[in-house]
Amino acid sequence: MMWVCRLLIVLIGSIAMTCPEFVNGQGVSSVAIDIEAAPISYSKTPASNRVSRLIDRIESGQTKLKVDGSTGYLKSLLAELDIPISTQTLVFSKTSLQVRYISRRNPRAIYFNDDTYVGWVRGSPIMEISTFDPMLGAAFYTVNAEPERSFGEKLPKRLPHITQATYDCLSCHATSMSQGVPGHVVRSVVPEFDGGIASQRESFITDHTSPLEERWGGWYVTGRHGEMRHMGNTYLRGGHLDTVQNANRLSLRDEFDTYEYLTPYSDIVALMVLEHQTQMHNTLTRADFTHRKRVFERAIDNPRDTSNDNSLSEQGQEWQAELRLLAREVVDALLFHEEAEFKNEIKGSITFSSEFVQRGVADSQGRSLREFDLQTRMFKYPCSYLVHSAAFAALQPELRGAVMSELGRVLSSDTTPDRYPHLDASVRDAIKTILRETEPELTVDWQFAETLDGTS
């Protein structure tokens, strides 16, 4: 059954349940986390998330998924999970164990919102789901709804059944490539003609820091990006990956029959959002798990010691120093630290961009953290929109407070912080105002941060 558990943004890597380090990680949260040990106890902890609530609605009869043509229950499932069709991205590399279904002519479709991801392959008897869970980090599910043919039409063989998957999925989705916690990865590979991976070639785990030329190998990409090059839309020919002819594609109809897909696109902007969001989720989960582990261990070692709350004690100072380091790692991800600069304007789907922005909350001037820039960077106001998410809200209160304190300190700096040179005074002020007006409870203590010396 393990083959059904390779979730949508699938990686191939070392199998590990306890991961001593994460990709490119040097920070305090690179400590080993055994997710099956207390306090995480992954397999023993009940799920409570968007998908588990959908399962409850289906089992109670409140909700019934509907079948629709060749895509089966896909459209109905996306609607119930509040996932826009415009988020569709397509991957043709055989980086899933559903290799028998995936090819350049039959790519895998991925759809997502701020906390949930759905994977669908044309002709496959299953769909895959993963979602944020406040206690589990990421929870994984499969939807079994094998179709059968009747009078030339595909009809459901049985009602769809959504099942949570645990250990088998974690053998691939809790590795160093997902920062050592249950999570997801957008991987860029060098694909062969049939979608197989050229295993001797370098592959990349991509996020907002990745240069465009390392992104999207094994993926389809639609949209304009000027003279910049990427690895998508192409495969090895004579040992060479052509990154010129694959560029600036507006249509994929020459590659495969797009008719049975929900849209004919694999939008470049949606791909960039997907890259940022998956690693941002991983960073939040890793930070939360690390803090929970430290609180748990301290309680065992010193059951009567409350020095972590006393900044004047030596242990309390050490605790606070570790907390600040952990918070900085989250703030780095939130503020797009070391984001790769665009050399040309990027233009993607108007539908995706407009629907994505409309899902955001705005300040009194109509500004939102979801507004795109796409001239030199991804967002106009580079602070992750996931600060508004359930994943951020679910951080342990002490950790969330430390993150907001560090974020307020950076944004209230009198000069442009050396660590965040892309945040000039006008951008810092805009982000600060947006957060104050849209997250007043989180920013109530920022007046204290503003009295500090503005350095980072």
Side-chain angles (χ1 to χ4, degrees), residues 349-366:
S349 163
I350 295 176
T351 303
F352 170 77
S353 295
S354 62
E355 290 184 352
F356 179 83
V357 172
Q358 288 170 11
R359 285 175 166 255
V361 291
D363 67 5
S364 57
Q365 300 180 50

Side-chain angles (χ1 to χ4, degrees), residues 1 12 38 54 57 223 240 254 256 293 297 318 324 369 391:
M1 289 298 293
I12 295 176
L54 172 60
R57 295 199 304 273
H240 175 65
D254 292 339
F256 64 96
K293 179 175 182 287
E297 291 174 343
E318 180 182 355
R324 285 193 296 271
L369 296 181

